[in-house]
Amino acid sequence: FDSCFWDMSAQSIGYASNKTGDYYMFVNMFRHTGHFALLSILSGDLAVRVESMPDQEVVDDSMSILRRMFRYRNIPKQPIYSHVTRWKSDKFARGSYSYLKPESSPQDMDALAAPIDDCIFFAGEATNRKHPASAHGAVLSGRRDARRIANIMARTYGCTLPYQEIDNM
């Protein structure tokens, strides 16, 4: 977007719909991208329906929800840029994501994220306890491990590598 019409301090913005999974959360991506961007999360039947919807219809639906949520603010008609994913038809994801079983805990995610001998690193949304089951959680975990590797290289070779510090992942 050209500007921010939501609370910039909010990590995510929830939407209580009368339809399960109906654009139920928008993630504020500014902190991670430096751009006024929202990531819309949906699930259930809507996630299946989106697979066959044209991109513009999905964007229009998302914008309609945002206008309902922020009806007293000046909401743009369209974002500057949009990208619609279709995880169910992705041959690698097939619509899947991680989840914690009832006997599991967030510590299990931490254990999965732990490097082995500072040589093998595990990234992915299943290793991000703050943002599990999401594409942005996967991206952030990749950045986390890139930072880990950069720190190891800096210690090993006595050099300073330029990278942006990413906190609170």
Side-chain angles (χ1 to χ4, degrees), residues 8-13 26-29 31-32 130-131:
M8 280 296 288
S9 68
Q11 185 172 346
S12 60
I13 306 154
F26 291 86
V27 178
N28 181 3
M29 298 301 290
R31 186 170 77 147
H32 309 295
K130 290 188 178 181
H131 305 283

Side-chain angles (χ1 to χ4, degrees), residues 106-150:
Q107 288 78 18
D108 293 324
M109 298 175 92
D110 294 341
L112 186 59
I116 298 175
D117 297 330
D118 283 344
C119 291
I120 301 174
F121 299 84
F122 300 94
E125 49 82 25
T127 69
N128 189 325
R129 72 167 23 196
K130 290 188 178 181
H131 305 283
S134 65
H136 63 283
V139 168
L140 293 173
S141 72
R143 290 179 178 178
R144 174 200 64 217
D145 284 340
R147 184 179 70 234
R148 286 176 174 167
I149 293 166

Side-chain angles (χ1 to χ4, degrees), residues 19 103 111 113:
K19 292 187 254 176
E103 63 273 9

Side-chain angles (χ1 to χ4, degrees), residues 1 5-7 10-17 22-28 38-41 61-75:
F1 295 98
F5 54 84
W6 60 91
D7 178 358
Q11 185 172 346
S12 60
I13 306 154
Y15 174 66
S17 173
D22 190 13
Y23 302 96
Y24 69 92
M25 186 186 314
F26 291 86
V27 178
N28 181 3
L38 292 174
L39 171 78
S40 176
I41 298 177
D61 283 355
S62 292
M63 294 305 297
S64 174
I65 297 294
L66 288 169
R67 280 189 203 88
R68 275 187 246 156
M69 292 170 66
F70 298 101
R71 64 178 149 237
Y72 300 112
R73 299 190 188 169
N74 188 16
I75 309 296

Side-chain angles (χ1 to χ4, degrees), residues 147-163:
R147 184 179 70 234
R148 286 176 174 167
I149 293 166
N151 287 334
I152 291 167
M153 290 180 70
R155 283 193 315 269
T156 303
Y157 300 107
C159 59
T160 303
L161 300 174
Y163 65 92

